[in-house]
Amino acid sequence: MPRPQVFITRRIPEIGLRKIAAACEVEVWPDLMPPPAAVLLEKSRGCAGILALLTDRIDAPFLSACAALKVISNFAVGHNNIDIAAATARGISVGNTPDVLTEATADLAFALLIAAARRVGESQQAAREGRWKTWEPLGYIGQDLLGKTVGIVGLGRIGAAFAKRCRGGFDMQVVYHNRRPNRAAEQALSARRVDFETLLSESDFISVHTDLNDSTRGLFNAAAFARMKPTAVFINTARGGVVVQSDLVAALRSGQIFAAGLDVTDPEPPDPQDPLLSLPNAIVLPHIASATVQSRDGMAEIAADNLLAGLRGEPLRCWVNPEVARR
Ligand code: GLV
């Protein structure tokens, strides 16, 4: 039997690459930057599987040009880079990498919360630039964390892990906004489900953990920021598209909200001239939430298992579109 042909769109941890190379004919895109769209198509055409990143756009025209494709294994938990409906319609399985990055992502969201609330980025920059002249009784005053109210938009796996840190470590009240209730988190964290407007107005801190889809795109816009407290800290480790970025910049500039901590933007990376990168009350990181040894190795293993299962026509370990089996 000839070994299936697969394209891997970037180098991933060895643990995953080795598994795939043992069973497939593999081409790995070697560059730091993603393959341009035309190159991605050229390399994928004729492949039975591709292992893709969140920076690779896989849409309906791409899928119709890749007739041999059986499986797309996304090296990410999010999969908004893939047209799932189009893949399902063509009988192509899609896999993702949940769970293994939950704790690392919740840690980073919490790091952003403390850093933004306590002005860590701004004060470090002052020290680096020689603007630390003396101890200032009125300088760099931030927000306390203990006993505050945190609002979670998207209380799923990562949102609940973040809420657990807020509740257990800092005795915060947890409110959340979800389409469906999360009864386990309500019990474990005394979390209260509220409508979006209530979450905006009651929360001291707001953290986004929802998918990017048609109902969440642009959810945080000027009207949403206007409802938030002037002391509010806004954290986003989910997807940049959930926020109207120019409205966030305006809210941070005018003091309508206190600060923001972002691991994601729209686009990524932002234009170097984007004011978000120079606002003293915004911390922006280059989408690093899952960047720990354990998480990335775990993602590589799951992505490899998903790819290999899809090539064999078997259920994927983490299957985004299991309905494909019913076709
Ligand atoms: C990262 O953002 C992921 O979706 O895994």
Side-chain angles (χ1 to χ4, degrees):
M1 264 259 297
R3 286 150 52 97
Q5 194 77 35
V6 305
F7 181 51
I8 303 183
T9 69
R10 227 69 44 79
R11 285 193 54 229
I12 62 166
E14 277 298 318
I15 192 164
L17 284 181
R18 270 200 305 269
K19 263 191 172 186
I20 299 168
C24 305
E25 291 305 318
V26 178
E27 179 171 5
V28 181
W29 181 251
D31 293 356
L32 173 70
M33 297 305 287
V39 178
L40 178 64
L41 182 58
E42 179 201 318
K43 301 278 181 194
S44 306
R45 216 194 283 270
C47 282
I50 55 179
L51 192 150
L53 266 58
L54 52 87
T55 41
D56 301 315
R57 187 173 154 76
I58 298 184
D59 55 14
F62 175 95
L63 293 169
S64 60
C66 294
L69 206 55
K70 292 166 82 173
V71 56
I72 303 160
S73 174
N74 217 32
F75 186 75
V77 64
H79 42 73
N80 56 292
N81 56 309
I82 302 172
D83 185 335
I84 303 294
T88 308
R90 296 190 159 268
I92 299 169
S93 282
V94 178
N96 70 339
T97 63
D99 299 321
V100 287
L101 44 63
T102 296
E103 302 302 328
T105 304
D107 284 345
L108 193 88
F110 207 80
L112 282 169
L113 173 58
I114 300 189
R118 295 300 311 274
R119 303 172 67 167
V120 169
E122 180 186 352
S123 45
Q124 192 206 23
Q125 188 146 357
R128 282 189 166 166
E129 291 173 358
R131 287 185 281 115
W132 178 9
K133 302 294 183 202
T134 183
W135 189 85
E136 297 180 46
L138 299 178
Y140 307 108
I141 305 288
Q143 305 296 332
D144 293 288
L145 278 87
L146 192 71
K148 294 290 179 70
T149 295
V150 63
I152 315 270
V153 176
L155 192 71
R157 287 173 287 230
I158 299 173
F162 174 77
K164 193 169 156 196
R165 285 152 177 76
C166 295
R167 179 82 187 150
F170 289 78
D171 208 16
M172 291 187 206
Q173 309 305 311
V174 179
V175 296
Y176 75 101
H177 179 66
N178 269 19
R179 258 184 316 216
R180 281 186 296 273
N182 181 339
R183 300 284 180 223
E186 286 179 9
Q187 286 229 315
L189 305 165
S190 305
R192 191 161 50 87
R193 184 165 168 237
V194 295
D195 60 39
F196 186 54
E197 282 68 31
T198 306
L199 181 137
L200 295 172
S201 59
E202 281 192 6
S203 301
D204 297 299
F205 312 130
I206 293 178
S207 191
V208 184
H209 299 281
T210 183
D211 295 346
L212 176 62
N213 54 48
D214 288 344
S215 65
T216 60
R217 192 178 303 281
L219 184 64
F220 284 91
N221 54 18
F225 292 118
R227 283 182 183 266
M228 287 163 61
K229 299 181 182 182
T231 49
V233 176
F234 176 74
I235 305 299
N236 189 5
T237 53
R239 286 291 181 269
V242 175
V243 179
V244 179
Q245 213 155 275
S246 51
D247 291 353
L248 173 60
V249 166
L252 288 165
R253 260 204 187 123
S254 66
Q256 196 163 49
I257 69 169
F258 183 75
L262 310 173
D263 188 44
V264 289
T265 58
D266 184 22
E268 289 184 4
D271 185 293
Q273 303 307 320
D274 192 314
L276 206 49
L277 297 174
S278 51
L279 283 172
N281 53 350
I283 296 186
V284 183
L285 304 180
H287 204 148
I288 62 164
S290 66
T292 68
V293 174
Q294 212 171 299
S295 288
R296 290 284 163 87
D297 279 355
M299 290 166 71
E301 274 205 273
I302 297 178
D305 289 349
N306 284 342
L307 187 74
L308 297 175
L311 292 171
R312 291 190 299 261
E314 293 172 3
L316 272 53
R317 185 169 156 193
C318 302
W319 207 354
V320 173
N321 59 345
E323 60 276 16
V324 100
R326 289 197 295 272
R327 288 185 72 258

PDB file of all heavy atoms in Angstrom, residues 58-95:
ATOM      1  N   ILE A  58      -8.474  27.903   5.206  1.00  0.00           N
ATOM      2  CA  ILE A  58      -8.936  26.752   4.428  1.00  0.00           C
ATOM      3  C   ILE A  58     -10.417  26.931   4.150  1.00  0.00           C
ATOM      4  O   ILE A  58     -11.257  26.681   5.011  1.00  0.00           O
ATOM      5  CB  ILE A  58      -8.625  25.451   5.194  1.00  0.00           C
ATOM      6  CG1 ILE A  58      -7.101  25.370   5.356  1.00  0.00           C
ATOM      7  CG2 ILE A  58      -9.208  24.237   4.489  1.00  0.00           C
ATOM      8  CD1 ILE A  58      -6.582  24.137   5.984  1.00  0.00           C
ATOM      9  N   ASP A  59     -10.707  27.453   2.948  1.00  0.00           N
ATOM     10  CA  ASP A  59     -12.095  27.799   2.630  1.00  0.00           C
ATOM     11  C   ASP A  59     -12.658  26.861   1.557  1.00  0.00           C
ATOM     12  O   ASP A  59     -11.977  25.926   1.124  1.00  0.00           O
ATOM     13  CB  ASP A  59     -12.180  29.277   2.205  1.00  0.00           C
ATOM     14  CG  ASP A  59     -11.236  29.593   1.064  1.00  0.00           C
ATOM     15  OD1 ASP A  59     -10.728  28.634   0.429  1.00  0.00           O
ATOM     16  OD2 ASP A  59     -10.990  30.785   0.794  1.00  0.00           O
ATOM     17  N   ALA A  60     -13.892  27.131   1.165  1.00  0.00           N
ATOM     18  CA  ALA A  60     -14.572  26.221   0.226  1.00  0.00           C
ATOM     19  C   ALA A  60     -13.826  26.086  -1.109  1.00  0.00           C
ATOM     20  O   ALA A  60     -13.632  24.962  -1.585  1.00  0.00           O
ATOM     21  CB  ALA A  60     -16.012  26.672   0.028  1.00  0.00           C
ATOM     22  N   PRO A  61     -13.357  27.186  -1.738  1.00  0.00           N
ATOM     23  CA  PRO A  61     -12.620  27.006  -3.006  1.00  0.00           C
ATOM     24  C   PRO A  61     -11.356  26.162  -2.825  1.00  0.00           C
ATOM     25  O   PRO A  61     -11.030  25.321  -3.666  1.00  0.00           O
ATOM     26  CB  PRO A  61     -12.265  28.450  -3.422  1.00  0.00           C
ATOM     27  CG  PRO A  61     -13.243  29.312  -2.695  1.00  0.00           C
ATOM     28  CD  PRO A  61     -13.617  28.601  -1.430  1.00  0.00           C
ATOM     29  N   PHE A  62     -10.679  26.354  -1.688  1.00  0.00           N
ATOM     30  CA  PHE A  62      -9.487  25.544  -1.412  1.00  0.00           C
ATOM     31  C   PHE A  62      -9.879  24.064  -1.359  1.00  0.00           C
ATOM     32  O   PHE A  62      -9.228  23.208  -1.962  1.00  0.00           O
ATOM     33  CB  PHE A  62      -8.865  25.995  -0.082  1.00  0.00           C
ATOM     34  CG  PHE A  62      -7.695  25.159   0.375  1.00  0.00           C
ATOM     35  CD1 PHE A  62      -6.389  25.537   0.084  1.00  0.00           C
ATOM     36  CD2 PHE A  62      -7.889  23.984   1.103  1.00  0.00           C
ATOM     37  CE1 PHE A  62      -5.309  24.759   0.498  1.00  0.00           C
ATOM     38  CE2 PHE A  62      -6.825  23.206   1.519  1.00  0.00           C
ATOM     39  CZ  PHE A  62      -5.535  23.593   1.218  1.00  0.00           C
ATOM     40  N   LEU A  63     -10.953  23.772  -0.634  1.00  0.00           N
ATOM     41  CA  LEU A  63     -11.364  22.377  -0.456  1.00  0.00           C
ATOM     42  C   LEU A  63     -11.787  21.750  -1.776  1.00  0.00           C
ATOM     43  O   LEU A  63     -11.490  20.590  -2.043  1.00  0.00           O
ATOM     44  CB  LEU A  63     -12.496  22.294   0.576  1.00  0.00           C
ATOM     45  CG  LEU A  63     -12.073  22.668   2.001  1.00  0.00           C
ATOM     46  CD1 LEU A  63     -13.291  22.821   2.903  1.00  0.00           C
ATOM     47  CD2 LEU A  63     -11.126  21.619   2.575  1.00  0.00           C
ATOM     48  N   SER A  64     -12.457  22.541  -2.614  1.00  0.00           N
ATOM     49  CA  SER A  64     -12.895  21.929  -3.877  1.00  0.00           C
ATOM     50  C   SER A  64     -11.701  21.683  -4.799  1.00  0.00           C
ATOM     51  O   SER A  64     -11.770  20.823  -5.678  1.00  0.00           O
ATOM     52  CB  SER A  64     -13.996  22.756  -4.548  1.00  0.00           C
ATOM     53  OG  SER A  64     -13.522  24.030  -4.813  1.00  0.00           O
ATOM     54  N   ALA A  65     -10.600  22.378  -4.564  1.00  0.00           N
ATOM     55  CA  ALA A  65      -9.407  22.134  -5.399  1.00  0.00           C
ATOM     56  C   ALA A  65      -8.559  20.975  -4.866  1.00  0.00           C
ATOM     57  O   ALA A  65      -7.590  20.582  -5.512  1.00  0.00           O
ATOM     58  CB  ALA A  65      -8.571  23.408  -5.473  1.00  0.00           C
ATOM     59  N   CYS A  66      -8.912  20.472  -3.677  1.00  0.00           N
ATOM     60  CA  CYS A  66      -8.108  19.393  -3.076  1.00  0.00           C
ATOM     61  C   CYS A  66      -8.966  18.126  -3.010  1.00  0.00           C
ATOM     62  O   CYS A  66      -9.423  17.722  -1.927  1.00  0.00           O
ATOM     63  CB  CYS A  66      -7.637  19.791  -1.679  1.00  0.00           C
ATOM     64  SG  CYS A  66      -6.488  21.159  -1.689  1.00  0.00           S
ATOM     65  N   ALA A  67      -9.164  17.505  -4.155  1.00  0.00           N
ATOM     66  CA  ALA A  67     -10.138  16.403  -4.264  1.00  0.00           C
ATOM     67  C   ALA A  67      -9.747  15.171  -3.452  1.00  0.00           C
ATOM     68  O   ALA A  67     -10.611  14.391  -3.053  1.00  0.00           O
ATOM     69  CB  ALA A  67     -10.318  16.041  -5.730  1.00  0.00           C
ATOM     70  N   ALA A  68      -8.442  14.996  -3.198  1.00  0.00           N
ATOM     71  CA  ALA A  68      -8.010  13.758  -2.522  1.00  0.00           C
ATOM     72  C   ALA A  68      -8.056  13.880  -0.989  1.00  0.00           C
ATOM     73  O   ALA A  68      -7.796  12.909  -0.275  1.00  0.00           O
ATOM     74  CB  ALA A  68      -6.581  13.420  -2.957  1.00  0.00           C
ATOM     75  N   LEU A  69      -8.402  15.065  -0.497  1.00  0.00           N
ATOM     76  CA  LEU A  69      -8.284  15.335   0.942  1.00  0.00           C
ATOM     77  C   LEU A  69      -9.307  14.547   1.774  1.00  0.00           C
ATOM     78  O   LEU A  69     -10.500  14.571   1.494  1.00  0.00           O
ATOM     79  CB  LEU A  69      -8.489  16.845   1.151  1.00  0.00           C
ATOM     80  CG  LEU A  69      -7.851  17.481   2.380  1.00  0.00           C
ATOM     81  CD1 LEU A  69      -6.354  17.199   2.444  1.00  0.00           C
ATOM     82  CD2 LEU A  69      -8.094  18.993   2.364  1.00  0.00           C
ATOM     83  N   LYS A  70      -8.779  13.854   2.800  1.00  0.00           N
ATOM     84  CA  LYS A  70      -9.668  13.098   3.706  1.00  0.00           C
ATOM     85  C   LYS A  70      -9.744  13.739   5.083  1.00  0.00           C
ATOM     86  O   LYS A  70     -10.733  13.584   5.803  1.00  0.00           O
ATOM     87  CB  LYS A  70      -9.135  11.663   3.870  1.00  0.00           C
ATOM     88  CG  LYS A  70      -9.231  10.847   2.605  1.00  0.00           C
ATOM     89  CD  LYS A  70      -8.418   9.577   2.688  1.00  0.00           C
ATOM     90  CE  LYS A  70      -9.163   8.476   3.431  1.00  0.00           C
ATOM     91  NZ  LYS A  70      -8.415   7.192   3.347  1.00  0.00           N
ATOM     92  N   VAL A  71      -8.658  14.418   5.474  1.00  0.00           N
ATOM     93  CA  VAL A  71      -8.608  14.951   6.834  1.00  0.00           C
ATOM     94  C   VAL A  71      -7.785  16.239   6.889  1.00  0.00           C
ATOM     95  O   VAL A  71      -6.759  16.370   6.218  1.00  0.00           O
ATOM     96  CB  VAL A  71      -8.042  13.890   7.820  1.00  0.00           C
ATOM     97  CG1 VAL A  71      -6.678  13.381   7.384  1.00  0.00           C
ATOM     98  CG2 VAL A  71      -7.987  14.400   9.254  1.00  0.00           C
ATOM     99  N   ILE A  72      -8.299  17.179   7.723  1.00  0.00           N
ATOM    100  CA  ILE A  72      -7.540  18.391   8.053  1.00  0.00           C
ATOM    101  C   ILE A  72      -7.356  18.368   9.561  1.00  0.00           C
ATOM    102  O   ILE A  72      -8.335  18.357  10.317  1.00  0.00           O
ATOM    103  CB  ILE A  72      -8.321  19.669   7.671  1.00  0.00           C
ATOM    104  CG1 ILE A  72      -8.677  19.660   6.191  1.00  0.00           C
ATOM    105  CG2 ILE A  72      -7.512  20.912   8.036  1.00  0.00           C
ATOM    106  CD1 ILE A  72      -9.822  20.591   5.858  1.00  0.00           C
ATOM    107  N   SER A  73      -6.110  18.339   9.987  1.00  0.00           N
ATOM    108  CA  SER A  73      -5.831  18.330  11.417  1.00  0.00           C
ATOM    109  C   SER A  73      -5.326  19.720  11.794  1.00  0.00           C
ATOM    110  O   SER A  73      -4.248  20.122  11.358  1.00  0.00           O
ATOM    111  CB  SER A  73      -4.772  17.252  11.700  1.00  0.00           C
ATOM    112  OG  SER A  73      -4.391  17.327  13.047  1.00  0.00           O
ATOM    113  N   ASN A  74      -6.127  20.450  12.576  1.00  0.00           N
ATOM    114  CA  ASN A  74      -5.725  21.821  12.926  1.00  0.00           C
ATOM    115  C   ASN A  74      -4.905  21.780  14.204  1.00  0.00           C
ATOM    116  O   ASN A  74      -5.322  21.180  15.204  1.00  0.00           O
ATOM    117  CB  ASN A  74      -6.983  22.677  13.145  1.00  0.00           C
ATOM    118  CG  ASN A  74      -6.825  24.092  12.645  1.00  0.00           C
ATOM    119  OD1 ASN A  74      -6.106  24.325  11.660  1.00  0.00           O
ATOM    120  ND2 ASN A  74      -7.489  25.040  13.282  1.00  0.00           N
ATOM    121  N   PHE A  75      -3.749  22.434  14.177  1.00  0.00           N
ATOM    122  CA  PHE A  75      -2.868  22.483  15.351  1.00  0.00           C
ATOM    123  C   PHE A  75      -3.322  23.662  16.221  1.00  0.00           C
ATOM    124  O   PHE A  75      -2.634  24.661  16.382  1.00  0.00           O
ATOM    125  CB  PHE A  75      -1.423  22.661  14.868  1.00  0.00           C
ATOM    126  CG  PHE A  75      -0.368  22.593  15.937  1.00  0.00           C
ATOM    127  CD1 PHE A  75       0.003  21.376  16.487  1.00  0.00           C
ATOM    128  CD2 PHE A  75       0.282  23.737  16.376  1.00  0.00           C
ATOM    129  CE1 PHE A  75       0.991  21.310  17.472  1.00  0.00           C
ATOM    130  CE2 PHE A  75       1.272  23.679  17.350  1.00  0.00           C
ATOM    131  CZ  PHE A  75       1.619  22.463  17.905  1.00  0.00           C
ATOM    132  N   ALA A  76      -4.531  23.552  16.768  1.00  0.00           N
ATOM    133  CA  ALA A  76      -5.145  24.622  17.561  1.00  0.00           C
ATOM    134  C   ALA A  76      -6.461  24.074  18.087  1.00  0.00           C
ATOM    135  O   ALA A  76      -7.017  23.134  17.508  1.00  0.00           O
ATOM    136  CB  ALA A  76      -5.440  25.845  16.696  1.00  0.00           C
ATOM    137  N   VAL A  77      -6.951  24.664  19.159  1.00  0.00           N
ATOM    138  CA  VAL A  77      -8.300  24.302  19.595  1.00  0.00           C
ATOM    139  C   VAL A  77      -9.334  25.042  18.750  1.00  0.00           C
ATOM    140  O   VAL A  77     -10.356  24.481  18.353  1.00  0.00           O
ATOM    141  CB  VAL A  77      -8.494  24.516  21.120  1.00  0.00           C
ATOM    142  CG1 VAL A  77      -8.361  25.978  21.512  1.00  0.00           C
ATOM    143  CG2 VAL A  77      -9.843  23.986  21.572  1.00  0.00           C
ATOM    144  N   GLY A  78      -9.047  26.310  18.444  1.00  0.00           N
ATOM    145  CA  GLY A  78      -9.958  27.100  17.604  1.00  0.00           C
ATOM    146  C   GLY A  78      -9.850  26.622  16.161  1.00  0.00           C
ATOM    147  O   GLY A  78      -8.811  26.120  15.740  1.00  0.00           O
ATOM    148  N   HIS A  79     -10.949  26.768  15.408  1.00  0.00           N
ATOM    149  CA  HIS A  79     -10.907  26.288  14.015  1.00  0.00           C
ATOM    150  C   HIS A  79     -11.642  27.249  13.096  1.00  0.00           C
ATOM    151  O   HIS A  79     -12.214  26.855  12.084  1.00  0.00           O
ATOM    152  CB  HIS A  79     -11.459  24.867  13.913  1.00  0.00           C
ATOM    153  CG  HIS A  79     -12.692  24.627  14.728  1.00  0.00           C
ATOM    154  ND1 HIS A  79     -13.905  25.132  14.364  1.00  0.00           N
ATOM    155  CD2 HIS A  79     -12.874  23.991  15.902  1.00  0.00           C
ATOM    156  CE1 HIS A  79     -14.791  24.789  15.273  1.00  0.00           C
ATOM    157  NE2 HIS A  79     -14.189  24.096  16.230  1.00  0.00           N
ATOM    158  N   ASN A  80     -11.646  28.539  13.459  1.00  0.00           N
ATOM    159  CA  ASN A  80     -12.339  29.527  12.630  1.00  0.00           C
ATOM    160  C   ASN A  80     -11.594  29.796  11.321  1.00  0.00           C
ATOM    161  O   ASN A  80     -12.111  30.487  10.453  1.00  0.00           O
ATOM    162  CB  ASN A  80     -12.541  30.826  13.409  1.00  0.00           C
ATOM    163  CG  ASN A  80     -11.244  31.371  13.934  1.00  0.00           C
ATOM    164  OD1 ASN A  80     -10.624  30.772  14.818  1.00  0.00           O
ATOM    165  ND2 ASN A  80     -10.787  32.473  13.385  1.00  0.00           N
ATOM    166  N   ASN A  81     -10.380  29.243  11.185  1.00  0.00           N
ATOM    167  CA  ASN A  81      -9.642  29.368   9.913  1.00  0.00           C
ATOM    168  C   ASN A  81     -10.134  28.369   8.862  1.00  0.00           C
ATOM    169  O   ASN A  81      -9.719  28.434   7.711  1.00  0.00           O
ATOM    170  CB  ASN A  81      -8.140  29.141  10.150  1.00  0.00           C
ATOM    171  CG  ASN A  81      -7.833  27.800  10.810  1.00  0.00           C
ATOM    172  OD1 ASN A  81      -8.430  27.464  11.827  1.00  0.00           O
ATOM    173  ND2 ASN A  81      -6.929  27.032  10.244  1.00  0.00           N
ATOM    174  N   ILE A  82     -11.012  27.437   9.287  1.00  0.00           N
ATOM    175  CA  ILE A  82     -11.472  26.385   8.363  1.00  0.00           C
ATOM    176  C   ILE A  82     -12.976  26.523   8.138  1.00  0.00           C
ATOM    177  O   ILE A  82     -13.729  26.745   9.098  1.00  0.00           O
ATOM    178  CB  ILE A  82     -11.181  24.988   8.961  1.00  0.00           C
ATOM    179  CG1 ILE A  82      -9.681  24.823   9.233  1.00  0.00           C
ATOM    180  CG2 ILE A  82     -11.675  23.871   8.039  1.00  0.00           C
ATOM    181  CD1 ILE A  82      -9.321  23.551   9.988  1.00  0.00           C
ATOM    182  N   ASP A  83     -13.405  26.380   6.904  1.00  0.00           N
ATOM    183  CA  ASP A  83     -14.847  26.338   6.623  1.00  0.00           C
ATOM    184  C   ASP A  83     -15.330  24.917   6.952  1.00  0.00           C
ATOM    185  O   ASP A  83     -15.218  24.000   6.124  1.00  0.00           O
ATOM    186  CB  ASP A  83     -15.094  26.714   5.165  1.00  0.00           C
ATOM    187  CG  ASP A  83     -16.581  26.811   4.841  1.00  0.00           C
ATOM    188  OD1 ASP A  83     -17.394  26.148   5.543  1.00  0.00           O
ATOM    189  OD2 ASP A  83     -16.943  27.544   3.902  1.00  0.00           O
ATOM    190  N   ILE A  84     -15.835  24.747   8.174  1.00  0.00           N
ATOM    191  CA  ILE A  84     -16.194  23.403   8.659  1.00  0.00           C
ATOM    192  C   ILE A  84     -17.367  22.836   7.846  1.00  0.00           C
ATOM    193  O   ILE A  84     -17.365  21.657   7.491  1.00  0.00           O
ATOM    194  CB  ILE A  84     -16.556  23.433  10.169  1.00  0.00           C
ATOM    195  CG1 ILE A  84     -15.390  24.002  10.996  1.00  0.00           C
ATOM    196  CG2 ILE A  84     -16.962  22.035  10.663  1.00  0.00           C
ATOM    197  CD1 ILE A  84     -14.142  23.152  11.012  1.00  0.00           C
ATOM    198  N   ALA A  85     -18.349  23.689   7.550  1.00  0.00           N
ATOM    199  CA  ALA A  85     -19.517  23.198   6.799  1.00  0.00           C
ATOM    200  C   ALA A  85     -19.080  22.683   5.435  1.00  0.00           C
ATOM    201  O   ALA A  85     -19.525  21.614   4.986  1.00  0.00           O
ATOM    202  CB  ALA A  85     -20.551  24.304   6.665  1.00  0.00           C
ATOM    203  N   ALA A  86     -18.186  23.413   4.785  1.00  0.00           N
ATOM    204  CA  ALA A  86     -17.725  22.987   3.450  1.00  0.00           C
ATOM    205  C   ALA A  86     -16.931  21.687   3.561  1.00  0.00           C
ATOM    206  O   ALA A  86     -17.066  20.800   2.713  1.00  0.00           O
ATOM    207  CB  ALA A  86     -16.886  24.083   2.807  1.00  0.00           C
ATOM    208  N   ALA A  87     -16.118  21.557   4.602  1.00  0.00           N
ATOM    209  CA  ALA A  87     -15.342  20.320   4.786  1.00  0.00           C
ATOM    210  C   ALA A  87     -16.295  19.143   5.014  1.00  0.00           C
ATOM    211  O   ALA A  87     -16.157  18.082   4.397  1.00  0.00           O
ATOM    212  CB  ALA A  87     -14.375  20.468   5.961  1.00  0.00           C
ATOM    213  N   THR A  88     -17.287  19.356   5.863  1.00  0.00           N
ATOM    214  CA  THR A  88     -18.239  18.280   6.175  1.00  0.00           C
ATOM    215  C   THR A  88     -18.994  17.864   4.912  1.00  0.00           C
ATOM    216  O   THR A  88     -19.167  16.673   4.639  1.00  0.00           O
ATOM    217  CB  THR A  88     -19.227  18.759   7.266  1.00  0.00           C
ATOM    218  OG1 THR A  88     -18.456  19.260   8.355  1.00  0.00           O
ATOM    219  CG2 THR A  88     -20.113  17.624   7.758  1.00  0.00           C
ATOM    220  N   ALA A  89     -19.415  18.850   4.143  1.00  0.00           N
ATOM    221  CA  ALA A  89     -20.155  18.543   2.914  1.00  0.00           C
ATOM    222  C   ALA A  89     -19.323  17.689   1.962  1.00  0.00           C
ATOM    223  O   ALA A  89     -19.864  16.912   1.181  1.00  0.00           O
ATOM    224  CB  ALA A  89     -20.582  19.845   2.234  1.00  0.00           C
ATOM    225  N   ARG A  90     -18.007  17.830   2.037  1.00  0.00           N
ATOM    226  CA  ARG A  90     -17.135  17.041   1.150  1.00  0.00           C
ATOM    227  C   ARG A  90     -16.657  15.754   1.808  1.00  0.00           C
ATOM    228  O   ARG A  90     -15.807  15.053   1.265  1.00  0.00           O
ATOM    229  CB  ARG A  90     -15.910  17.873   0.767  1.00  0.00           C
ATOM    230  CG  ARG A  90     -16.274  19.059  -0.029  1.00  0.00           C
ATOM    231  CD  ARG A  90     -15.083  19.767  -0.625  1.00  0.00           C
ATOM    232  NE  ARG A  90     -15.586  20.536  -1.734  1.00  0.00           N
ATOM    233  CZ  ARG A  90     -15.644  20.096  -2.987  1.00  0.00           C
ATOM    234  NH1 ARG A  90     -15.181  18.914  -3.291  1.00  0.00           N
ATOM    235  NH2 ARG A  90     -16.157  20.851  -3.929  1.00  0.00           N
ATOM    236  N   GLY A  91     -17.144  15.482   3.037  1.00  0.00           N
ATOM    237  CA  GLY A  91     -16.755  14.239   3.715  1.00  0.00           C
ATOM    238  C   GLY A  91     -15.352  14.299   4.304  1.00  0.00           C
ATOM    239  O   GLY A  91     -14.726  13.269   4.552  1.00  0.00           O
ATOM    240  N   ILE A  92     -14.855  15.520   4.535  1.00  0.00           N
ATOM    241  CA  ILE A  92     -13.485  15.671   5.069  1.00  0.00           C
ATOM    242  C   ILE A  92     -13.566  15.850   6.587  1.00  0.00           C
ATOM    243  O   ILE A  92     -14.258  16.751   7.082  1.00  0.00           O
ATOM    244  CB  ILE A  92     -12.792  16.903   4.437  1.00  0.00           C
ATOM    245  CG1 ILE A  92     -12.698  16.727   2.920  1.00  0.00           C
ATOM    246  CG2 ILE A  92     -11.411  17.128   5.056  1.00  0.00           C
ATOM    247  CD1 ILE A  92     -12.274  17.985   2.177  1.00  0.00           C
ATOM    248  N   SER A  93     -12.867  15.013   7.328  1.00  0.00           N
ATOM    249  CA  SER A  93     -12.832  15.144   8.793  1.00  0.00           C
ATOM    250  C   SER A  93     -11.929  16.300   9.194  1.00  0.00           C
ATOM    251  O   SER A  93     -10.883  16.531   8.583  1.00  0.00           O
ATOM    252  CB  SER A  93     -12.264  13.865   9.413  1.00  0.00           C
ATOM    253  OG  SER A  93     -13.246  12.861   9.441  1.00  0.00           O
ATOM    254  N   VAL A  94     -12.348  16.982  10.261  1.00  0.00           N
ATOM    255  CA  VAL A  94     -11.525  18.072  10.803  1.00  0.00           C
ATOM    256  C   VAL A  94     -11.253  17.772  12.270  1.00  0.00           C
ATOM    257  O   VAL A  94     -12.180  17.425  13.022  1.00  0.00           O
ATOM    258  CB  VAL A  94     -12.247  19.429  10.666  1.00  0.00           C
ATOM    259  CG1 VAL A  94     -11.401  20.555  11.267  1.00  0.00           C
ATOM    260  CG2 VAL A  94     -12.571  19.740   9.209  1.00  0.00           C
ATOM    261  N   GLY A  95      -9.991  17.895  12.661  1.00  0.00           N
ATOM    262  CA  GLY A  95      -9.617  17.672  14.066  1.00  0.00           C
ATOM    263  C   GLY A  95      -9.044  18.934  14.681  1.00  0.00           C
ATOM    264  O   GLY A  95      -8.553  19.825  13.964  1.00  0.00           O
TER     265      GLY A  95
END
